[in-house]
């Protein structure tokens, strides 16, 4: 097992192309070809987590937040980021971060919290556009099923929760094979026509090379006529936040209590309660104030996120409840999500959840008289 194997599995689930421009996800220290003895999974890479990795003989840390985010100009150990990086490098420990790319996957950070809250009919709150491609390819009628099966297996043809989606139209292809060719039908120098199926299907942009390769390998022609078209359609499976529904409407206080129970938090900052029942809930792990307008457009009764500023609470305007559950608290289940993913991919690999509480925010609750 090498580190590249672990990274490949993580990036199949949350492709790097989905990270935001400002982000610094990916391998931050270490080398892809290092042999991997084990991994510590955490939300934040800190000195304590590096020490934990050393103690447990793990040479890979998989974090949600990148330890180097705004860039470094020196490595002198003057702050906790520099000390963490120095300690990791000195001890040959690789640090990998899967951040906004994991946020932007429907079944990622937000999907995990939605699942624990019991939400169904979930969809992305702010879908991304420009990430879909359409393949159009012309195939002899008798071989169309073989080509479709190959590109479906490569990841094409999924629309929402539907798979193996394609559109097929019949026509006639014409061609004249040149000297030295070995045509599927006809002879060199002789005009030929062939009953063909035009197959159209969509796929995520980052799968283009895989889809095209599968199509070419399955296609019977020496020279394949095909088009790749960029689409501006929003990609419903990718983007910021998520919105889903409870099985039935419950009171606002019941939802707040459920949030406390699920996350283990002691206090929730929230906008004024509306007195209405809660059925549709929007979620954005981490700082999600930018999506308040999206939650309102989706008709959410409550928007669960963190790091809401004072003036942002006014945006609720009596139309929904804004619930700030804390940054760490809203993303804490990312550790379980990644651990489960790696255990399923590599059953014998040591993927350990950190025992270090890296939450930098503490709460003082006065219980005395």
């Amino acid at each position: 097992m090498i580190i590249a194997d672990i990274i490949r599995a993580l990036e199949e689930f949350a492709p790097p192309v989905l990270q935001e421009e400002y982000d610094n996800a990916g391998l931050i220290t270490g080398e892809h070809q290092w042999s991997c003895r084990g991994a510590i999974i955490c939300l934040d890479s800190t000195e304590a987590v590096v020490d934990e990795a050393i103690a447990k003989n793990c040479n890979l840390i998989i974090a949600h937040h990148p330890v180097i985010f705004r860039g470094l100009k020196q490595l002198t150990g003057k702050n906790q980021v520099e000390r963490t990086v120095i300690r990791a490098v000195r001890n040959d420990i690789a640090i990998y971060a899967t951040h906004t790319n994991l946020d932007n996957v429907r079944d990622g950070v937000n999907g995990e919290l939605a699942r624990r809250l019991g939400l169904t009919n979930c969809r992305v709150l702010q879908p991304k556009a420009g990430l879909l491609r359409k393949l159009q390819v012309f195939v002899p009628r008798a071989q169309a099923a073989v080509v479709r099966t190959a590109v479906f297996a490569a990841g094409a043809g999924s629309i929402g929760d539907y798979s193996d989606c394609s559109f097929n139209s019949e026509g006639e292809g014409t061609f004249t094979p040149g000297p030295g060719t070995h045509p599927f039908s006809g002879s060199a120098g002789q005009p030929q026509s062939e009953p063909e199926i035009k197959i159209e299907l969509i796929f995520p942009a980052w799968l283009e090379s895989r889809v095209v390769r599968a199509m070419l390998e399955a296609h019977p022609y020496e020279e394949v006529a095909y088009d790749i078209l960029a689409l501006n359609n929003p990609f419903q499976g990718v983007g910021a936040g998520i919105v889903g529904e409870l099985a039935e409407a419950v009171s606002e206080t019941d939802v707040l209590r459920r949030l406390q129970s699920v996350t283990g938090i002691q206090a929730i900052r929230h906008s004024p309660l509306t007195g209405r029942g809660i059925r549709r809930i929007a979620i954005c792990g981490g700082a999600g104030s930018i999506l308040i307008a999206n939650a309102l457009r989706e008709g959410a009764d409550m928007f669960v996120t963190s790091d809401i500023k004072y003036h942002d609470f006014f945006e609720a305007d009596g139309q929904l409840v804004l619930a700030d559950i804390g940054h760490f608290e809203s993303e804490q289940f990312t550790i379980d999500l990644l651990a489960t993913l790696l255990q399923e991919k590599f059953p014998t690999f040591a993927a350990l959840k950190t025992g270090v509480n890296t939450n930098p925010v503490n709460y003082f609750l006065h219980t005395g008289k």
Side-chain angles (χ1 to χ4, degrees):
M1 181 77 69
I2 62 174
I3 287 174
D5 296 327
I6 308 299
I7 291 176
R8 188 175 303 111
L10 293 169
E11 294 184 349
E12 284 179 358
F13 183 75
V17 69
L18 298 183
Q19 73 170 300
E20 302 296 337
E21 291 183 0
Y22 60 80
D23 200 7
N24 190 39
L27 189 63
I28 295 172
T29 68
E31 298 180 16
H32 287 83
Q33 297 306 312
W34 280 357
S35 176
C36 191
R37 299 189 301 270
I40 296 289
I41 303 171
C42 61
L43 208 62
D44 308 279
S45 303
T46 64
E47 291 177 87
V49 173
V50 175
D51 289 338
E52 181 183 28
I54 295 169
K56 294 182 177 178
N57 196 33
C58 295
N59 65 335
L60 173 62
I61 293 173
I62 301 169
H64 182 45
H65 298 134
V67 63
I68 300 176
F69 192 73
R70 296 182 179 87
L72 294 175
K73 293 185 177 181
Q74 298 91 24
L75 276 174
T76 61
K78 67 178 179 292
N79 56 46
Q80 64 90 17
V81 170
E82 293 184 13
R83 290 192 299 271
T84 299
V85 173
I86 290 170
R87 190 148 181 76
V89 171
R90 281 178 175 169
N91 289 275
D92 290 335
I93 293 176
I95 299 177
Y96 178 86
T98 175
H99 190 211
T100 53
N101 49 322
L102 190 61
D103 291 328
N104 282 328
V105 176
R106 187 178 67 170
D107 295 326
V109 175
N110 300 306
E112 181 66 15
L113 181 54
R115 184 185 67 81
R116 290 172 182 259
L117 289 175
L119 302 187
T120 59
N121 302 322
C122 293
R123 59 191 183 278
V124 173
L125 187 59
Q126 186 183 61
K128 284 184 173 292
L131 289 174
L132 287 173
R133 300 290 182 267
K134 178 190 279 191
L135 169 65
Q136 298 180 157
V137 58
F138 302 86
V139 188
R141 183 185 297 149
Q143 281 70 38
V146 173
V147 173
R148 277 196 300 268
T149 299
V151 292
F152 289 156
S158 291
I159 302 176
D161 293 326
Y162 291 81
S163 60
D164 300 346
C165 303
S166 69
F167 183 79
N168 304 267
S169 51
E170 295 199 26
E172 184 177 89
T174 64
F175 51 90
T176 299
T181 59
H182 300 85
F184 171 74
S185 61
S187 304
Q190 299 297 315
Q192 174 70 18
S193 64
E194 180 72 28
E196 292 181 334
I197 302 291
K198 178 185 179 184
I199 302 173
E200 301 179 59
L201 34 71
I202 64 172
F203 59 89
W206 58 89
L207 294 181
E208 181 172 331
S209 60
R210 183 195 300 180
V211 169
V212 171
R213 183 170 59 251
M215 179 269 294
L216 292 175
E217 290 176 353
H219 205 290
Y221 285 174
E222 280 187 307
E223 298 292 342
V224 179
Y226 69 95
D227 306 311
I228 301 292
L229 307 178
L231 304 180
N232 288 324
N233 307 47
F235 191 170
Q236 296 298 327
V238 170
I242 202 167
V243 59
E245 296 175 347
L246 297 171
E248 58 184 12
V250 298
S251 72
E252 297 162 315
T253 53
D254 282 344
V255 177
L256 293 174
R257 290 192 191 98
R258 183 181 301 191
L259 281 168
Q260 284 186 309
S261 175
V262 168
T263 62
I265 58 180
Q266 298 172 316
I268 298 175
R269 299 167 65 230
H270 63 82
S271 61
L273 301 183
T274 67
R276 298 188 295 268
I278 301 293
R279 176 79 185 275
R280 183 171 295 172
I281 299 176
I283 293 172
C284 181
S289 295
I290 194 172
L291 297 179
I292 293 174
N294 297 80
L296 287 167
R297 279 196 297 270
E298 288 293 327
D301 304 307
M302 179 178 287
F303 180 31
V304 180
T305 186
S306 73
D307 301 348
I308 302 177
K309 294 181 180 180
Y310 174 85
H311 291 286
D312 291 335
F313 278 103
F314 286 106
E315 293 185 34
D317 198 24
Q319 298 178 65
L320 85 172
V321 176
L322 295 174
D324 186 330
I325 63 173
H327 198 118
F328 178 93
E329 291 82 359
S330 69
E331 297 180 329
Q332 61 183 301
F333 302 119
T334 304
I335 297 172
D336 296 323
L337 173 70
L338 294 175
T340 299
L341 172 66
L342 292 181
Q343 286 162 4
E344 290 176 351
K345 290 280 187 179
F346 311 104
T348 61
F349 176 70
L352 309 177
K353 293 184 284 188
T354 184
V356 178
N357 180 0
T358 64
N359 189 356
V361 180
N362 291 273
Y363 301 91
F364 175 74
L365 295 178
H366 180 62
T367 57
K369 295 182 180 179

